PDB file of all heavy atoms in Angstrom:
ATOM      1  N   CYS A 117     168.692  76.022 238.895  1.00  0.00           N
ATOM      2  CA  CYS A 117     169.650  75.741 237.823  1.00  0.00           C
ATOM      3  C   CYS A 117     168.953  75.405 236.510  1.00  0.00           C
ATOM      4  O   CYS A 117     169.477  75.678 235.427  1.00  0.00           O
ATOM      5  CB  CYS A 117     170.602  74.616 238.237  1.00  0.00           C
ATOM      6  SG  CYS A 117     169.785  73.066 238.670  1.00  0.00           S
ATOM      7  N   VAL A 118     167.778  74.792 236.608  1.00  0.00           N
ATOM      8  CA  VAL A 118     166.946  74.558 235.422  1.00  0.00           C
ATOM      9  C   VAL A 118     165.581  75.173 235.699  1.00  0.00           C
ATOM     10  O   VAL A 118     164.875  74.747 236.609  1.00  0.00           O
ATOM     11  CB  VAL A 118     166.791  73.055 235.115  1.00  0.00           C
ATOM     12  CG1 VAL A 118     165.854  72.854 233.923  1.00  0.00           C
ATOM     13  CG2 VAL A 118     168.146  72.418 234.833  1.00  0.00           C
ATOM     14  N   LYS A 119     165.235  76.175 234.940  1.00  0.00           N
ATOM     15  CA  LYS A 119     163.950  76.843 235.139  1.00  0.00           C
ATOM     16  C   LYS A 119     162.853  76.025 234.456  1.00  0.00           C
ATOM     17  O   LYS A 119     162.952  75.691 233.270  1.00  0.00           O
ATOM     18  CB  LYS A 119     163.997  78.263 234.586  1.00  0.00           C
ATOM     19  CG  LYS A 119     165.058  79.117 235.284  1.00  0.00           C
ATOM     20  CD  LYS A 119     165.007  80.554 234.823  1.00  0.00           C
ATOM     21  CE  LYS A 119     166.126  81.377 235.444  1.00  0.00           C
ATOM     22  NZ  LYS A 119     166.098  81.359 236.921  1.00  0.00           N
ATOM     23  N   LEU A 120     161.810  75.730 235.203  1.00  0.00           N
ATOM     24  CA  LEU A 120     160.767  74.824 234.718  1.00  0.00           C
ATOM     25  C   LEU A 120     160.049  75.385 233.493  1.00  0.00           C
ATOM     26  O   LEU A 120     159.564  74.624 232.652  1.00  0.00           O
ATOM     27  CB  LEU A 120     159.767  74.537 235.841  1.00  0.00           C
ATOM     28  CG  LEU A 120     160.348  73.847 237.088  1.00  0.00           C
ATOM     29  CD1 LEU A 120     159.245  73.533 238.087  1.00  0.00           C
ATOM     30  CD2 LEU A 120     161.112  72.585 236.702  1.00  0.00           C
ATOM     31  N   GLU A 121     159.992  76.714 233.359  1.00  0.00           N
ATOM     32  CA  GLU A 121     159.337  77.288 232.175  1.00  0.00           C
ATOM     33  C   GLU A 121     160.130  77.009 230.893  1.00  0.00           C
ATOM     34  O   GLU A 121     159.571  77.033 229.795  1.00  0.00           O
ATOM     35  CB  GLU A 121     159.112  78.788 232.353  1.00  0.00           C
ATOM     36  CG  GLU A 121     160.350  79.586 232.646  1.00  0.00           C
ATOM     37  CD  GLU A 121     160.572  79.811 234.119  1.00  0.00           C
ATOM     38  OE1 GLU A 121     160.160  78.937 234.921  1.00  0.00           O
ATOM     39  OE2 GLU A 121     161.151  80.859 234.477  1.00  0.00           O
ATOM     40  N   ASN A 122     161.437  76.721 231.044  1.00  0.00           N
ATOM     41  CA  ASN A 122     162.244  76.384 229.872  1.00  0.00           C
ATOM     42  C   ASN A 122     161.957  74.980 229.350  1.00  0.00           C
ATOM     43  O   ASN A 122     162.450  74.599 228.291  1.00  0.00           O
ATOM     44  CB  ASN A 122     163.736  76.499 230.191  1.00  0.00           C
ATOM     45  CG  ASN A 122     164.188  77.939 230.352  1.00  0.00           C
ATOM     46  OD1 ASN A 122     163.560  78.852 229.815  1.00  0.00           O
ATOM     47  ND2 ASN A 122     165.259  78.156 231.090  1.00  0.00           N
ATOM     48  N   LEU A 123     161.144  74.231 230.097  1.00  0.00           N
ATOM     49  CA  LEU A 123     160.768  72.880 229.670  1.00  0.00           C
ATOM     50  C   LEU A 123     159.413  72.868 228.962  1.00  0.00           C
ATOM     51  O   LEU A 123     158.882  71.812 228.655  1.00  0.00           O
ATOM     52  CB  LEU A 123     160.722  71.937 230.882  1.00  0.00           C
ATOM     53  CG  LEU A 123     162.056  71.740 231.617  1.00  0.00           C
ATOM     54  CD1 LEU A 123     161.850  70.855 232.839  1.00  0.00           C
ATOM     55  CD2 LEU A 123     163.105  71.144 230.695  1.00  0.00           C
ATOM     56  N   CYS A 124     158.887  74.063 228.685  1.00  0.00           N
ATOM     57  CA  CYS A 124     157.605  74.165 227.988  1.00  0.00           C
ATOM     58  C   CYS A 124     157.814  73.961 226.490  1.00  0.00           C
ATOM     59  O   CYS A 124     158.663  74.603 225.867  1.00  0.00           O
ATOM     60  CB  CYS A 124     156.974  75.520 228.262  1.00  0.00           C
ATOM     61  SG  CYS A 124     155.367  75.743 227.463  1.00  0.00           S
ATOM     62  N   VAL A 125     157.046  73.053 225.898  1.00  0.00           N
ATOM     63  CA  VAL A 125     157.103  72.802 224.449  1.00  0.00           C
ATOM     64  C   VAL A 125     156.048  73.639 223.744  1.00  0.00           C
ATOM     65  O   VAL A 125     156.321  74.336 222.769  1.00  0.00           O
ATOM     66  CB  VAL A 125     156.883  71.306 224.137  1.00  0.00           C
ATOM     67  CG1 VAL A 125     156.865  71.073 222.626  1.00  0.00           C
ATOM     68  CG2 VAL A 125     157.963  70.460 224.801  1.00  0.00           C
ATOM     69  N   CYS A 126     154.816  73.575 224.264  1.00  0.00           N
ATOM     70  CA  CYS A 126     153.702  74.356 223.713  1.00  0.00           C
ATOM     71  C   CYS A 126     152.823  74.793 224.881  1.00  0.00           C
ATOM     72  O   CYS A 126     152.222  73.940 225.541  1.00  0.00           O
ATOM     73  CB  CYS A 126     152.905  73.521 222.712  1.00  0.00           C
ATOM     74  SG  CYS A 126     151.551  74.407 221.920  1.00  0.00           S
ATOM     75  N   PRO A 127     152.769  76.097 225.185  1.00  0.00           N
ATOM     76  CA  PRO A 127     152.022  76.562 226.362  1.00  0.00           C
ATOM     77  C   PRO A 127     150.600  76.026 226.409  1.00  0.00           C
ATOM     78  O   PRO A 127     149.856  76.095 225.428  1.00  0.00           O
ATOM     79  CB  PRO A 127     152.033  78.090 226.196  1.00  0.00           C
ATOM     80  CG  PRO A 127     153.249  78.364 225.378  1.00  0.00           C
ATOM     81  CD  PRO A 127     153.385  77.203 224.435  1.00  0.00           C
ATOM     82  N   GLY A 128     150.249  75.469 227.552  1.00  0.00           N
ATOM     83  CA  GLY A 128     148.907  74.939 227.756  1.00  0.00           C
ATOM     84  C   GLY A 128     148.678  73.568 227.164  1.00  0.00           C
ATOM     85  O   GLY A 128     147.621  72.966 227.386  1.00  0.00           O
ATOM     86  N   LYS A 129     149.662  73.043 226.415  1.00  0.00           N
ATOM     87  CA  LYS A 129     149.447  71.760 225.744  1.00  0.00           C
ATOM     88  C   LYS A 129     150.520  70.713 226.060  1.00  0.00           C
ATOM     89  O   LYS A 129     150.196  69.544 226.290  1.00  0.00           O
ATOM     90  CB  LYS A 129     149.385  71.960 224.226  1.00  0.00           C
ATOM     91  CG  LYS A 129     148.193  72.792 223.760  1.00  0.00           C
ATOM     92  CD  LYS A 129     148.159  72.896 222.245  1.00  0.00           C
ATOM     93  CE  LYS A 129     146.955  73.705 221.776  1.00  0.00           C
ATOM     94  NZ  LYS A 129     146.916  73.823 220.282  1.00  0.00           N
ATOM     95  N   LEU A 130     151.778  71.133 226.056  1.00  0.00           N
ATOM     96  CA  LEU A 130     152.845  70.134 226.108  1.00  0.00           C
ATOM     97  C   LEU A 130     154.077  70.680 226.832  1.00  0.00           C
ATOM     98  O   LEU A 130     154.492  71.816 226.589  1.00  0.00           O
ATOM     99  CB  LEU A 130     153.233  69.735 224.680  1.00  0.00           C
ATOM    100  CG  LEU A 130     153.607  68.275 224.400  1.00  0.00           C
ATOM    101  CD1 LEU A 130     152.479  67.341 224.788  1.00  0.00           C
ATOM    102  CD2 LEU A 130     153.981  68.112 222.943  1.00  0.00           C
ATOM    103  N   VAL A 131     154.634  69.850 227.712  1.00  0.00           N
ATOM    104  CA  VAL A 131     155.881  70.204 228.402  1.00  0.00           C
ATOM    105  C   VAL A 131     156.784  68.973 228.446  1.00  0.00           C
ATOM    106  O   VAL A 131     156.346  67.845 228.227  1.00  0.00           O
ATOM    107  CB  VAL A 131     155.616  70.693 229.846  1.00  0.00           C
ATOM    108  CG1 VAL A 131     154.819  71.982 229.854  1.00  0.00           C
ATOM    109  CG2 VAL A 131     154.936  69.609 230.677  1.00  0.00           C
ATOM    110  N   TRP A 132     158.057  69.232 228.749  1.00  0.00           N
ATOM    111  CA  TRP A 132     159.011  68.142 228.936  1.00  0.00           C
ATOM    112  C   TRP A 132     158.983  67.662 230.387  1.00  0.00           C
ATOM    113  O   TRP A 132     158.877  68.450 231.323  1.00  0.00           O
ATOM    114  CB  TRP A 132     160.429  68.600 228.615  1.00  0.00           C
ATOM    115  CG  TRP A 132     160.755  68.714 227.158  1.00  0.00           C
ATOM    116  CD1 TRP A 132     161.014  69.861 226.467  1.00  0.00           C
ATOM    117  CD2 TRP A 132     160.880  67.638 226.216  1.00  0.00           C
ATOM    118  NE1 TRP A 132     161.286  69.575 225.155  1.00  0.00           N
ATOM    119  CE2 TRP A 132     161.216  68.225 224.971  1.00  0.00           C
ATOM    120  CE3 TRP A 132     160.744  66.259 226.305  1.00  0.00           C
ATOM    121  CZ2 TRP A 132     161.404  67.456 223.828  1.00  0.00           C
ATOM    122  CZ3 TRP A 132     160.928  65.492 225.170  1.00  0.00           C
ATOM    123  CH2 TRP A 132     161.255  66.093 223.938  1.00  0.00           C
ATOM    124  N   VAL A 133     159.098  66.354 230.542  1.00  0.00           N
ATOM    125  CA  VAL A 133     159.342  65.737 231.847  1.00  0.00           C
ATOM    126  C   VAL A 133     160.711  65.070 231.764  1.00  0.00           C
ATOM    127  O   VAL A 133     160.925  64.199 230.907  1.00  0.00           O
ATOM    128  CB  VAL A 133     158.276  64.682 232.211  1.00  0.00           C
ATOM    129  CG1 VAL A 133     158.593  64.061 233.576  1.00  0.00           C
ATOM    130  CG2 VAL A 133     156.890  65.294 232.207  1.00  0.00           C
ATOM    131  N   LEU A 134     161.636  65.507 232.614  1.00  0.00           N
ATOM    132  CA  LEU A 134     162.976  64.931 232.625  1.00  0.00           C
ATOM    133  C   LEU A 134     163.128  63.996 233.824  1.00  0.00           C
ATOM    134  O   LEU A 134     163.038  64.420 234.978  1.00  0.00           O
ATOM    135  CB  LEU A 134     164.044  66.026 232.696  1.00  0.00           C
ATOM    136  CG  LEU A 134     164.052  67.063 231.566  1.00  0.00           C
ATOM    137  CD1 LEU A 134     165.269  67.979 231.711  1.00  0.00           C
ATOM    138  CD2 LEU A 134     164.064  66.395 230.202  1.00  0.00           C
ATOM    139  N   HIS A 135     163.321  62.720 233.537  1.00  0.00           N
ATOM    140  CA  HIS A 135     163.537  61.725 234.586  1.00  0.00           C
ATOM    141  C   HIS A 135     165.048  61.600 234.815  1.00  0.00           C
ATOM    142  O   HIS A 135     165.789  61.197 233.914  1.00  0.00           O
ATOM    143  CB  HIS A 135     162.944  60.377 234.180  1.00  0.00           C
ATOM    144  CG  HIS A 135     161.457  60.401 234.006  1.00  0.00           C
ATOM    145  ND1 HIS A 135     160.591  60.260 235.073  1.00  0.00           N
ATOM    146  CD2 HIS A 135     160.680  60.572 232.900  1.00  0.00           C
ATOM    147  CE1 HIS A 135     159.347  60.332 234.641  1.00  0.00           C
ATOM    148  NE2 HIS A 135     159.372  60.526 233.328  1.00  0.00           N
ATOM    149  N   ILE A 136     165.483  61.973 236.004  1.00  0.00           N
ATOM    150  CA  ILE A 136     166.906  61.966 236.346  1.00  0.00           C
ATOM    151  C   ILE A 136     167.186  60.742 237.213  1.00  0.00           C
ATOM    152  O   ILE A 136     166.903  60.740 238.419  1.00  0.00           O
ATOM    153  CB  ILE A 136     167.298  63.256 237.093  1.00  0.00           C
ATOM    154  CG1 ILE A 136     166.876  64.485 236.281  1.00  0.00           C
ATOM    155  CG2 ILE A 136     168.786  63.287 237.387  1.00  0.00           C
ATOM    156  CD1 ILE A 136     166.990  65.798 237.048  1.00  0.00           C
ATOM    157  N   ASP A 137     167.699  59.692 236.604  1.00  0.00           N
ATOM    158  CA  ASP A 137     167.963  58.447 237.328  1.00  0.00           C
ATOM    159  C   ASP A 137     169.424  58.392 237.754  1.00  0.00           C
ATOM    160  O   ASP A 137     170.329  58.413 236.906  1.00  0.00           O
ATOM    161  CB  ASP A 137     167.620  57.239 236.452  1.00  0.00           C
ATOM    162  CG  ASP A 137     166.131  57.121 236.196  1.00  0.00           C
ATOM    163  OD1 ASP A 137     165.360  57.255 237.161  1.00  0.00           O
ATOM    164  OD2 ASP A 137     165.741  56.912 235.035  1.00  0.00           O
ATOM    165  N   LEU A 138     169.634  58.303 239.059  1.00  0.00           N
ATOM    166  CA  LEU A 138     170.974  58.233 239.623  1.00  0.00           C
ATOM    167  C   LEU A 138     171.164  56.853 240.252  1.00  0.00           C
ATOM    168  O   LEU A 138     170.458  56.494 241.202  1.00  0.00           O
ATOM    169  CB  LEU A 138     171.167  59.320 240.677  1.00  0.00           C
ATOM    170  CG  LEU A 138     171.181  60.748 240.126  1.00  0.00           C
ATOM    171  CD1 LEU A 138     170.509  61.717 241.095  1.00  0.00           C
ATOM    172  CD2 LEU A 138     172.608  61.197 239.849  1.00  0.00           C
ATOM    173  N   VAL A 139     172.088  56.090 239.707  1.00  0.00           N
ATOM    174  CA  VAL A 139     172.314  54.712 240.153  1.00  0.00           C
ATOM    175  C   VAL A 139     173.706  54.612 240.768  1.00  0.00           C
ATOM    176  O   VAL A 139     174.706  54.910 240.114  1.00  0.00           O
ATOM    177  CB  VAL A 139     172.183  53.716 238.983  1.00  0.00           C
ATOM    178  CG1 VAL A 139     172.395  52.291 239.476  1.00  0.00           C
ATOM    179  CG2 VAL A 139     170.815  53.856 238.316  1.00  0.00           C
ATOM    180  N   CYS A 140     173.757  54.186 242.023  1.00  0.00           N
ATOM    181  CA  CYS A 140     175.049  53.990 242.678  1.00  0.00           C
ATOM    182  C   CYS A 140     175.597  52.621 242.276  1.00  0.00           C
ATOM    183  O   CYS A 140     174.949  51.595 242.491  1.00  0.00           O
ATOM    184  CB  CYS A 140     174.893  54.078 244.196  1.00  0.00           C
ATOM    185  SG  CYS A 140     176.449  53.866 245.081  1.00  0.00           S
ATOM    186  N   LEU A 141     176.777  52.624 241.684  1.00  0.00           N
ATOM    187  CA  LEU A 141     177.414  51.378 241.247  1.00  0.00           C
ATOM    188  C   LEU A 141     178.367  50.825 242.300  1.00  0.00           C
ATOM    189  O   LEU A 141     178.611  49.623 242.354  1.00  0.00           O
ATOM    190  CB  LEU A 141     178.175  51.610 239.935  1.00  0.00           C
ATOM    191  CG  LEU A 141     177.365  52.183 238.776  1.00  0.00           C
ATOM    192  CD1 LEU A 141     178.252  52.395 237.554  1.00  0.00           C
ATOM    193  CD2 LEU A 141     176.198  51.271 238.432  1.00  0.00           C
ATOM    194  N   ASP A 142     178.924  51.721 243.101  1.00  0.00           N
ATOM    195  CA  ASP A 142     179.862  51.318 244.154  1.00  0.00           C
ATOM    196  C   ASP A 142     179.777  52.351 245.261  1.00  0.00           C
ATOM    197  O   ASP A 142     179.870  53.553 244.995  1.00  0.00           O
ATOM    198  CB  ASP A 142     181.290  51.230 243.600  1.00  0.00           C
ATOM    199  CG  ASP A 142     182.237  50.482 244.537  1.00  0.00           C
ATOM    200  OD1 ASP A 142     181.793  50.100 245.641  1.00  0.00           O
ATOM    201  OD2 ASP A 142     183.411  50.281 244.167  1.00  0.00           O
ATOM    202  N   TYR A 143     179.582  51.891 246.502  1.00  0.00           N
ATOM    203  CA  TYR A 143     179.370  52.812 247.616  1.00  0.00           C
ATOM    204  C   TYR A 143     180.539  52.772 248.592  1.00  0.00           C
ATOM    205  O   TYR A 143     180.874  51.728 249.143  1.00  0.00           O
ATOM    206  CB  TYR A 143     178.076  52.464 248.355  1.00  0.00           C
ATOM    207  CG  TYR A 143     177.919  53.195 249.665  1.00  0.00           C
ATOM    208  CD1 TYR A 143     177.684  54.568 249.682  1.00  0.00           C
ATOM    209  CD2 TYR A 143     178.007  52.523 250.883  1.00  0.00           C
ATOM    210  CE1 TYR A 143     177.545  55.251 250.887  1.00  0.00           C
ATOM    211  CE2 TYR A 143     177.871  53.199 252.087  1.00  0.00           C
ATOM    212  CZ  TYR A 143     177.643  54.558 252.076  1.00  0.00           C
ATOM    213  OH  TYR A 143     177.508  55.235 253.263  1.00  0.00           O
ATOM    214  N   ASP A 144     181.175  53.924 248.784  1.00  0.00           N
ATOM    215  CA  ASP A 144     182.195  54.072 249.813  1.00  0.00           C
ATOM    216  C   ASP A 144     182.118  55.470 250.417  1.00  0.00           C
ATOM    217  O   ASP A 144     183.107  56.187 250.519  1.00  0.00           O
ATOM    218  CB  ASP A 144     183.596  53.814 249.243  1.00  0.00           C
ATOM    219  CG  ASP A 144     184.661  53.788 250.340  1.00  0.00           C
ATOM    220  OD1 ASP A 144     184.295  53.561 251.516  1.00  0.00           O
ATOM    221  OD2 ASP A 144     185.843  54.023 250.041  1.00  0.00           O
ATOM    222  N   GLY A 145     180.887  55.863 250.798  1.00  0.00           N
ATOM    223  CA  GLY A 145     180.687  57.134 251.472  1.00  0.00           C
ATOM    224  C   GLY A 145     180.458  58.310 250.550  1.00  0.00           C
ATOM    225  O   GLY A 145     180.684  58.248 249.345  1.00  0.00           O
ATOM    226  N   ASN A 146     179.936  59.390 251.142  1.00  0.00           N
ATOM    227  CA  ASN A 146     179.736  60.681 250.472  1.00  0.00           C
ATOM    228  C   ASN A 146     178.903  60.586 249.196  1.00  0.00           C
ATOM    229  O   ASN A 146     179.276  61.126 248.148  1.00  0.00           O
ATOM    230  CB  ASN A 146     181.085  61.345 250.164  1.00  0.00           C
ATOM    231  CG  ASN A 146     180.944  62.834 249.946  1.00  0.00           C
ATOM    232  OD1 ASN A 146     179.888  63.422 250.191  1.00  0.00           O
ATOM    233  ND2 ASN A 146     181.998  63.466 249.471  1.00  0.00           N
TER     234      ASN A 146
END
Side-chain angles (χ1 to χ4, degrees):
C117 58
V118 177
K119 299 185 184 302
L120 299 184
E121 57 265 30
N122 289 336
L123 298 177
C124 181
V125 177
C126 182
K129 295 183 179 180
L130 217 58
V131 296
W132 283 113
V133 179
L134 301 186
H135 297 276
I136 306 169
D137 292 314
L138 292 144
V139 181
C140 181
L141 304 178
D142 195 356
Y143 169 70
D144 187 21
N146 200 10

